[in-house]
Amino acid sequence: RAPASGVARLSIPAAQHALELLDCDAIPDALSTVMPDWAFAACPDEKHEETCASVIRMQADGRYSFRSRWGRDALTGLGLAGATCGAVADITQAYLDARPGLLGLHCGAVRIDGQLVIFTGPYRAGKTTLVTRLGMEPGTELFCDDVLPVESGGEAVALGIQPRLRLPLPDGIAVPFRRQATRSITLYDHRYGYVALPGQAPLGTRAPLAAVVVLTRQEGMPARFSRLRAEDGAACLIRQNIADPGDMTAHYDEIAGMVERLPCVALEYSNLEEAVALVRAAFAGGWRPEAWVDRRAECRVAPEAAEAVPAALDHRFKRSSGVIERVIGADMFLWHID
């Protein structure tokens, strides 16, 4: 626990990382809530310079700023859940960096009847909402809603981090899910709410991957599984890896091998409850693609680039707010807390 005021430094041994907290007495309890299996310890003064740190500061208006260990600029105006999210993201990144060779897939993952299924896809495809809803179903176990470490042999590791929903929940959310999610929120602010699930896999839980599902949400689309080209599945996973890829040839070969070994399909849907019912039914007792995949439909999640449109040179352009640079290994990412 940090002191009521002043500067404190928290060490996270499992990630070989530290957090510098400036007048942030609520952050340690928030992290212990959303990462209940992790150990956080006060860092002795003489150890302060030995570990790179991310910095969270309480602003004069009661909100927080967060500066990533991997970034130069700070995100400002964050609520408690938003600042905690920034810390969780950096702790996760540090965990991956401390274990070279791990993939860090930006995805959700749920174990359904003993089969660990990962759900990925483009921004706003609904993966967090879907896996959180699936994690409320009997007999399921949530591994993650954001980042899944995967070893070279295809075994995944749960990080034991509560899923984070964007608030307010969309109008189309079914009433029972809305009520259960609201009752289960442990930490929230004006933008986000972390949710405790009874089937949350603890930190360190391991399981082999069983299937890859790429989400594509389309208005009015009945929930269905459709065919996905192996190269589209591989391209999606390559884009979703946030770990330092190391040797690129080996990295591509590893992901290509993963797609060849695992069933890889697209889930097209509009209604969340329809999608959950379809996933539960399809993976109950063992996945049988021939029974569930619409072979007549092929989903293209990586369409060719549209024809370029010339920029309007009489307009003024400016950098989007809330975007920071993150330099990880030899790569630079543009990162937004959403």
Side-chain angles (χ1 to χ4, degrees):
R1 181 186 295 273
S5 62
V7 179
R9 194 172 175 104
L10 286 184
S11 167
I12 305 97
Q16 299 179 24
H17 187 59
L19 294 172
E20 188 170 296
L21 307 176
L22 288 77
D23 297 320
C24 296
D25 55 299
I27 294 293
D29 285 344
L31 286 170
S32 295
T33 296
V34 304
M35 307 176 73
D37 304 317
W38 291 69
F40 301 94
C43 204
D45 290 343
E46 63 271 15
K47 300 277 188 180
H48 276 195
E49 301 305 321
E50 296 182 11
T51 308
C52 295
S54 305
V55 180
I56 303 177
R57 181 189 302 270
M58 173 73 81
Q59 301 172 179
D61 62 0
R63 296 190 182 275
Y64 296 87
S65 70
F66 166 77
R67 182 175 60 78
S68 170
R69 163 183 161 184
W70 288 271
R72 297 176 301 180
D73 302 324
L75 291 170
T76 59
L78 304 176
L80 178 59
T84 302
C85 168
V88 168
D90 271 17
I91 292 168
T92 302
Q93 189 69 58
Y95 178 95
L96 296 171
D97 284 4
R99 294 160 177 82
L102 276 184
L103 291 176
L105 295 181
H106 180 51
C107 66
V110 182
R111 184 149 57 174
I112 306 167
D113 288 346
Q115 303 166 94
L116 184 59
V117 184
I118 65 175
F119 298 88
T120 187
Y123 177 62
R124 292 293 176 97
K127 73 178 190 312
T128 293
T129 309
L130 178 65
V131 298
T132 302
R133 174 65 184 84
L134 275 170
M136 294 177 176
E137 290 284 293
T140 64
E141 189 176 26
L142 179 82
F143 264 55
C144 73
D145 78 311
D146 190 41
V147 176
L148 183 70
V150 180
E151 297 178 341
S152 57
E155 190 169 57
V157 183
L159 293 181
I161 301 170
Q162 292 179 353
R164 177 189 57 131
L165 294 173
R166 187 176 289 107
L167 300 179
L169 295 175
D171 291 338
I173 293 293
V175 172
F177 175 37
R178 181 183 300 276
R179 288 175 177 168
Q180 188 169 356
T182 302
R183 288 196 301 265
S184 303
I185 286 177
T186 60
L187 176 72
Y188 70 95
D189 58 23
H190 60 295
R191 297 176 69 184
Y192 305 111
Y194 282 91
V195 179
L197 296 178
Q200 176 91 48
L203 171 66
T205 305
R206 311 173 81 85
L209 295 178
V212 177
V213 176
V214 178
L215 302 177
T216 174
R217 191 164 56 181
Q218 301 182 40
E219 191 65 33
M221 169 67 75
R224 69 174 184 179
F225 290 110
S226 55
R227 291 184 299 118
L228 185 69
R229 299 190 314 168
E231 54 266 39
D232 284 349
C236 183
L237 292 181
I238 287 168
R239 288 195 301 271
Q240 301 290 22
N241 177 42
I242 68 166
D244 187 343
D247 178 74
M248 291 305 298
T249 300
H251 174 60
Y252 289 140
D253 288 347
E254 180 179 351
I255 289 183
M258 181 186 303
V259 171
E260 289 175 0
R261 292 192 307 270
L262 299 174
C264 189
V265 297
L267 172 58
E268 300 175 281
Y269 76 104
S270 174
N271 182 276
L272 175 65
E273 296 301 320
E274 281 186 10
V276 168
L278 179 64
V279 170
R280 285 304 311 270
F283 286 94
W287 166 248
R288 293 179 295 112
E290 67 278 6
W292 295 99
V293 177
D294 185 346
R295 294 294 174 181
R296 297 165 299 176
E298 181 177 87
C299 180
R300 299 299 305 274
V301 295
E304 295 180 3
E307 183 179 352
V309 177
L313 297 183
D314 56 340
H315 291 183
R316 176 176 294 179
F317 294 86
K318 67 177 182 179
R319 177 176 174 173
S320 180
S321 62
V323 177
I324 59 173
E325 299 170 3
R326 286 169 69 95
V327 179
I328 299 168
D331 296 331
M332 184 184 76
F333 296 81
L334 296 181
W335 189 81
H336 191 281
I337 203 162
D338 278 336

